[in-house]
Amino acid sequence: MINYPNGKKISESNVTHHISASRRGMTLEADINQTNEYYLSTDKAVIHKKPTPVQIVHVDYPKRTAAKITEAYFKVPSTTDYNGIYRGKYIDFEAKETASKTSFPFSSIHPHQIEHLKKVLQHGAIGFFIIRFKAYDETFFVEASKIIPHYLDDQKRSLSYKWFKEEGILIPFGLSPSVHYLKVIDQLYFRRSV
Amino acid sequence: MINYPNGKKISESNVTHHISASRRGMTLEADINQTNEYYLSTDKAVIHKKPTPVQIVHVDYPKRTAAKITEAYFKVPSTTDYNGIYRGKYIDFEAKETASKTSFPFSSIHPHQIEHLKKVLQHGAIGFFIIRFKAYDETFFVEASKIIPHYLDDQKRSLSYKWFKEEGILIPFGLSPSVHYLKVIDQLYFRRSV
């Protein structure tokens, strides 16, 4: 059984797999970017993915053409990938997908990102994770406050798929927006629909 | 005469130039980064500079060493450089410095950034600019709502230094934090000091 944001519980077989099939191959990042563009163009929210942090070492400045970076390295992100504003509230989240059928490994989340989410929650943010199990094409919304204590528990290296089914909220499938996470936020934080 | 956030007006000659002299050579970006680190470490706010947006074209994956980006280009930013949360409010701003003694040229602000600030203001953000006149070592806080109409006025290419003295608020100098812009935000939006 899956928790939907409207509180109804439906069995997995009712999930509209024809929609998810058409999206197959789209990464979670692509889905979220499309969703954020939809939110932006419909004036629902302003939420952006931050650029990938890169340490630039060398740049060529050829005449008459654009500056070309010829040596750079990926940096460890010090924050989450996504933030912005919705209904006057500061929104902050990290999105990850896993190929595992059984659990989500903590190794894909960096300690700095947990520290960052803890901090923004203290300041009144709406902070969360969007976690996709690719094997089931299921994308869960989980409040950061639910994941953080498990992450900080030295005994734990992952959270089970079962845990996500119980503690997470399945984000509704759709074509546009494809990952309609504001619907979950409305339910959890505003108790009104978009 | 300069507007200070506490409402007192003092003449330029009273500005503590011995502090500003010691900071000479520090870029505005370095000053703001230091300030944001101070806010983060003292739990005042969580505000970060976004990474420079870069279009990555080619990456080498040598064995046993870190992935090396060998071809990349700078992208036009679609948002402002800084955002975060303070007292539960979404904060969003752009920072620019100019060598001009007479005016701040609009050419250094990208239309996308104005569009972005307009949008976040609509959603309830605290949106502003931090503009430094290097010639005077003066750093002004200006609400985005004050600059946007001038920027969108086709007849205008810049705003005069005089305009900033009248419409901006001089951000207090200091060693740590060096650009204490939250003090101005408190004055303008919360009417309490940090």
Side-chain angles (χ1 to χ4, degrees), chain A residues 30-40 177-181:
Chain A
D31 281 342
I32 293 175
N33 287 347
Q34 185 254 43
T35 299
N36 287 343
E37 277 164 33
Y38 171 86
Y39 292 155
L40 193 65
S178 56
V179 187
H180 198 358
Y181 60 88

Side-chain angles (χ1 to χ4, degrees), chain B residues 15-72:
Chain B
V15 174
T16 50
H17 276 296
H18 65 282
I19 293 176
S20 70
S22 73
R23 295 188 311 106
R24 204 146 286 165
M26 285 276 273
T27 63
L28 178 58
E29 180 179 330
D31 280 342
I32 292 175
N33 287 347
Q34 185 253 44
T35 298
N36 287 343
E37 279 166 31
Y38 170 85
Y39 293 154
L40 193 66
S41 66
T42 54
D43 275 334
K44 290 263 188 284
V46 183
I47 298 164
H48 286 277
K49 183 175 190 295
K50 294 185 186 174
T52 304
V54 154
Q55 178 73 48
I56 296 167
V57 176
H58 191 79
V59 184
D60 276 352
Y61 296 92
K63 283 184 188 157
R64 272 183 271 254
T65 57
K68 180 180 173 180
I69 300 160
T70 57
E71 186 181 354

